[in-house]
Amino acid sequence: MRFRHYKGGIYDVVCEATLEADHTPAIVYRGQDGKTWVRPRGNFFETIDVDGQRMPRFAALDPE
């Protein structure tokens, strides 16, 4: 599934994972530049405040 970061980048979710150290659920995702990233699941799906406006950190895009 594809997501748009609030700053504009498009990312594909590769899989969900678990951080070994503390068993935190995580999202593994890849940018259009091929770099792979890992972020705690709660952080990936959280709503953030940007210039006084609430928005998702990553918003799901419609399937192509």
Side-chain angles (χ1 to χ4, degrees):
M1 184 170 217
R2 287 192 147 183
F3 289 83
R4 180 183 309 277
H5 188 265
Y6 77 96
K7 291 182 181 177
I10 304 295
Y11 297 89
D12 292 308
V13 169
V14 175
C15 66
E16 291 197 36
T18 303
L19 295 176
E20 181 274 331
D22 61 4
H23 297 248
T24 299
I27 301 293
V28 180
Y29 58 103
R30 183 173 294 124
Q32 292 178 313
D33 60 1
K35 288 184 182 177
T36 302
W37 302 87
V38 177
R39 185 183 292 259
R41 189 178 196 286
N43 183 266
F44 189 92
F45 289 110
E46 76 182 332
T47 300
I48 59 172
D49 183 41
V50 179
D51 298 327
Q53 192 172 22
R54 301 291 291 164
M55 64 180 57
R57 181 180 301 278
F58 287 89
L61 297 176
D62 292 330
E64 296 176 357

